[in-house]
Amino acid sequence: MSVETDREVKRSPASGLVIIISAPSGAGKDTILRRVLARDPRIAYSISMTTRAPRCGERDGYDYYFVDCATFERVRDSGGLFEWAEVHGNLYGTPREEVDRLTASGKDVILELDVQGMRNVREAGVDAATIFIMAPSIEELERRLTARATDSAEEIARRVARAREEIKERHEFDYIVINDDLNTAVEDLEAIIRSQRLRSSRQP
């Protein structure tokens, strides 16, 4: 996998936050984010651009912006991506225009990135709060993946192995949310966001 990040982005205290969320598969990230987004209208989710084909039920402009390789590369090469990555032969990226538009309007924007994506955004000097969400144990994570009944045993084993590697990097993040109890995890994430809004550097 290769990852690139474009030029540094400067943000004023009046603009919205950039919040980077990372989590292993099975940690419950999507469920937590759905609740937080439903409860706080000041938070927006950044839709990524990808060259992969839509999966069953996915909608363009809602789940992803689905584009061909030529379009993706044109946007990327013109500096139009906040960050981008190549994963398993497909390109993924966060459109800069959307992030800038949302934060300029005062919205706090959530970016879902892997550990490497988080590193590259941070290295670019972007003032982002970084949060790692994890299950209380690797055994519980494996149980959740198995309970989904959507993946083969081989795929579950692959996801668990990847999760072990991701968890090793958790202390590179500003915050760690352990999703043992869903309601508590939602409240923890909301508390982190509120604390970021109250930083002295962001006050008028």
Side-chain angles (χ1 to χ4, degrees), residues 41-114:
R42 290 179 58 187
I43 302 174
Y45 180 82
S46 176
I47 301 173
S48 296
M49 179 183 293
T50 183
T51 59
R52 77 160 171 80
R55 294 170 182 158
C56 182
E58 289 184 330
R59 292 177 288 166
D60 182 51
Y62 183 83
D63 298 286
Y64 284 95
Y65 295 114
F66 295 100
V67 299
D68 57 27
C69 286
T71 300
F72 189 100
E73 290 170 355
R74 184 172 64 251
V75 174
R76 179 197 63 193
D77 295 345
S78 66
L81 295 180
F82 197 70
E83 57 79 35
W84 72 275
E86 181 178 352
V87 183
H88 304 307
N90 295 308
L91 300 174
Y92 295 81
T94 303
R96 179 184 298 278
E97 182 179 357
E98 176 161 325
V99 174
D100 288 345
R101 175 181 60 81
L102 290 169
T103 55
S105 72
K107 292 276 191 178
D108 299 328
V109 181
I110 289 179
L111 309 181
E112 283 190 58
L113 301 176
D114 62 12

Side-chain angles (χ1 to χ4, degrees), residues 14-185:
S15 64
L17 297 164
V18 175
I19 305 161
I20 296 174
I21 305 286
S22 294
S25 180
K29 166 179 55 64
D30 292 344
T31 303
I32 294 170
L33 290 182
R34 278 197 298 270
R35 292 203 181 185
V36 171
L37 288 164
R39 287 162 54 150
D40 192 336
R42 290 179 58 187
I43 302 174
Y45 180 82
S46 176
I47 301 173
S48 296
M49 179 183 293
T50 183
T51 59
R52 77 160 171 80
R55 294 170 182 158
C56 182
E58 289 184 330
R59 292 177 288 166
D60 182 51
Y62 183 83
D63 298 286
Y64 284 95
Y65 295 114
F66 295 100
V67 299
D68 57 27
C69 286
T71 300
F72 189 100
E73 290 170 355
R74 184 172 64 251
V75 174
R76 179 197 63 193
D77 295 345
S78 66
L81 295 180
F82 197 70
E83 57 79 35
W84 72 275
E86 181 178 352
V87 183
H88 304 307
N90 295 308
L91 300 174
Y92 295 81
T94 303
R96 179 184 298 278
E97 182 179 357
E98 176 161 325
V99 174
D100 288 345
R101 175 181 60 81
L102 290 169
T103 55
S105 72
K107 292 276 191 178
D108 299 328
V109 181
I110 289 179
L111 309 181
E112 283 190 58
L113 301 176
D114 62 12
V115 175
Q116 187 60 50
M118 178 276 293
R119 288 172 181 156
N120 280 272
V121 171
R122 176 170 278 174
E123 287 169 5
V126 177
D127 183 17
T130 60
I131 304 165
F132 189 81
I133 298 175
M134 57 185 290
S137 67
I138 200 70
E139 291 78 17
E140 172 60 16
L141 184 140
E142 184 171 7
R143 186 197 67 77
R144 293 176 185 177
L145 290 172
T146 303
R148 288 180 181 177
T150 58
D151 298 308
S152 65
E154 292 77 11
E155 176 63 15
I156 290 173
R158 187 189 68 80
R159 289 176 182 266
V160 170
R162 178 172 173 78
R164 290 182 186 275
E165 294 304 311
E166 290 175 317
I167 290 169
K168 291 178 182 177
E169 315 299 334
R170 65 192 182 279
H171 291 298
E172 293 188 29
F173 292 79
D174 298 320
Y175 303 93
I176 297 174
V177 172
I178 299 177
N179 183 19
D180 190 3
D181 175 79
L182 178 59
N183 291 331
T184 300

